[in-house]
């Protein structure tokens, strides 16, 4: 399948490179900001286009990888041919958003955190797909199976739930790393001191479920330690409030398990 | 140094095994609940004792690894000899808590998340130490250098800050993995789908700082997606509130960076 990618953000960048790497020709890159399209097109050896009606007639698959609120407006500008398959890559946007424009519609949803600066092994990334009809489903499965060993079908409602879960497990988690970074910087502590802890926290739940891996003052309902931390955080009311609420949530979840000392 | 470990929780368990592994003889284990002391003593080939006045006269180092609120009462029960060094392992307890009982007092603080079921490579764990006098400091450095390649001096106030940072970076992070687990379970999604994302989120900040690795709807100030997630969470008011507050905190932190699409 000849592919055009619309967008040049983190998702477009990583997905295009993975497709090329798997032998799928990504031939055209479009982006609202032209220089970003040029940069990605250069990186993967594709053509950049500045107008959505410049998509070639030999393109079989058009991947919309723009911000969620721009998906419909980008789709609307396309002059689609009957055989062209149109997909988006959004976790929180229903498949139906594409149906006003074509019934050959689908979703490719790689669940991972993408930053341009960090290389990724796409073969280990779970990729969820959804499509409106059976033949599009099959075409998308054939495509993503070349990218990853972990492919699965997921409908729009489940994908929204998965995306919400991912915000907690990835985005909020990284923000908490940032809070740790800020607290440590303020008192001259090297962030390297906490990196092994972060690594091990993620490594543990590769083997067991998070509910089995919980540790810390709130898990032990250790109010003495919790109070010391709250006192330390009193100059940052937002972080103090977060500390209180999350600790309460943990205490509630593990209230019955009071056996362990530490 | 001959060592006695007081406590048989996760910290006592992992530290005792690491000390034995590094060639330091842990000879006695005490715990308020006797059968837990017996279990750990059996595991490492030490003697278990049921009374704090049974500590042998040839013990050089006594490690208190009990819950924070029990440290002082355990120390008070000891009949210390002048040459015996007394340390605790608490992140949030000052060194001074031991000074009423001896001036040969210190702290050994391995910064890691300990679960009995998960084996650990102690050599990669940063170990902070603190002691009241110079000779105790030297003795503790000599000890922990056999355990880990990452040893450093840290005072009580810095240790409290580091422990607070660790609660965010580890304990709260793991709780958010649990929230993801719960959301996914409710709709029949396999937790394996999100494990690579968790791994990569932690792996990224081994290379860059968390403030450089942030992604997600709040980072992009994508209010459309945020609202969809809040709607999904409306049946769980605690998690909805957390989602709102953390998103606000992220939006605030990255407010100036509005250039990236995704």
């Amino acid at each position: 399948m000849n592919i055009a990618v619309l967008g040049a953000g983190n998702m477009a960048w990583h997905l295009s490179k993975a497709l090329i790497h798997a032998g799928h020709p990504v031939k055209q890159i479009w982006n609202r900001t032209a220089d970003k399209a040029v940069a990605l097109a250069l990186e993967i050896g594709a053509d950049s286009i500045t107008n959505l009606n410049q998509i070639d007639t030999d393109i079989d698959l058009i991947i919309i990888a723009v911000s969620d609120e721009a998906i419909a407006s980008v789709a609307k500008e396309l002059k689609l041919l009957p055989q062209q398959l149109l997909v988006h890559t959004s976790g929180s946007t229903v498949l139906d958003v594409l149906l006003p424009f074509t019934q050959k519609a689908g979703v490719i949803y790689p669940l991972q955190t993408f930053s341009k600066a960090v290389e990724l092994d796409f073969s280990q990334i779970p990729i969820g797909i959804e499509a409106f009809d059976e033949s599009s489903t099959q075409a998308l499965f054939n495509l993503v199976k070349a990218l990853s060993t972990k492919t699965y079908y997921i409908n729009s409602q489940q994908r929204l739930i998965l995306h919400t879960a991912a915000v907690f497990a990835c985005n909020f988690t990284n923000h908490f790393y940032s809070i740790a970074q800020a607290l440590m910087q303020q008192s001259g502590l090297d962030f390297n001191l906490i990196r092994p802890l972060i690594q091990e926290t993620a490594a543990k739940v590769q083997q067991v479920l998070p509910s089995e891996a919980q540790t810390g003052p709130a898990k032990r309902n250790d109010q003495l330690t919790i109070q010391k931390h709250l006192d330390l955080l009193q100059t940052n009311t937002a972080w103090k409030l977060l500390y209180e609420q999350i600790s309460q949530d943990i205490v509630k979840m593990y209230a019955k398990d009071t056996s362990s000392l530490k």
Side-chain angles (χ1 to χ4, degrees), chain A residues 169-242:
Chain A
C170 167
N171 305 143
F172 290 173
T173 286
N174 188 79
H175 185 57
F176 282 6
Y177 302 160
S178 293
I179 291 176
Q181 177 193 339
L183 290 172
M184 291 172 72
Q185 269 174 353
Q186 284 162 19
S187 53
L189 291 164
D190 185 345
F191 189 69
N192 278 325
L193 293 182
I194 209 165
R195 282 189 158 120
L197 177 66
I198 288 171
Q199 184 87 64
E200 175 67 14
T201 304
K204 267 168 97 169
V205 299
Q206 305 301 312
Q207 302 171 48
V208 299
L209 287 172
S211 51
E212 300 164 324
Q214 189 66 47
T215 57
K219 164 76 185 297
R220 302 190 301 271
N221 198 1
D222 175 353
Q223 292 297 331
L224 179 75
T225 301
I226 290 171
Q227 194 52 53
K228 286 176 187 169
H229 295 178
L230 291 176
D231 290 346
L232 184 82
L233 293 168
Q234 65 190 347
T235 56
N236 191 312
T237 50
W239 295 352
K240 182 164 180 275
L241 187 61
L242 283 177

Side-chain angles (χ1 to χ4, degrees), chain A residues 12-83:
Chain A
W13 197 270
H14 280 282
L15 186 56
S16 297
K17 289 176 80 168
L19 285 165
I20 291 278
H21 188 73
H24 291 293
V26 178
K27 298 209 155 177
Q28 295 185 302
I29 303 286
W30 170 90
N31 193 60
R32 190 76 67 190
T33 312
D35 59 348
K36 293 180 78 177
V38 171
L40 177 51
L42 273 174
E43 175 83 13
I44 62 169
D47 293 328
S48 64
I49 57 176
T50 53
N51 199 306
L52 285 166
N53 60 24
Q54 292 174 294
I55 289 176
D56 278 340
T57 54
D58 70 343
I59 294 290
D60 305 298
L61 171 65
I62 300 167
I63 300 176
I64 304 179
V66 300
S67 62
D68 291 10
E69 72 273 18
I71 293 172
S73 65
V74 165
K76 198 175 180 180
E77 287 185 54
L78 294 168
K79 304 274 172 286
L80 291 167
L81 300 174
Q83 75 278 12

Side-chain angles (χ1 to χ4, degrees), chain A residues 106-128:
Chain A
V107 181
I108 298 176
Y109 181 55
L111 184 62
Q112 194 45 277
T113 169
F114 299 107
S115 297
K116 277 177 198 164
V118 181
E119 288 294 322
L120 271 179
D121 176 10
F122 234 84
S123 70
Q124 298 307 307
I125 298 177
I127 303 181

Side-chain angles (χ1 to χ4, degrees), chain A residues 218-219 221 248-259:
Chain A
K219 164 76 185 297
N221 198 1
Q248 278 170 15
D249 207 40
I250 294 173
V251 167
K252 209 170 54 184
M253 191 179 275
Y254 298 92
K256 282 157 200 157
D257 176 18
T258 54
S259 58

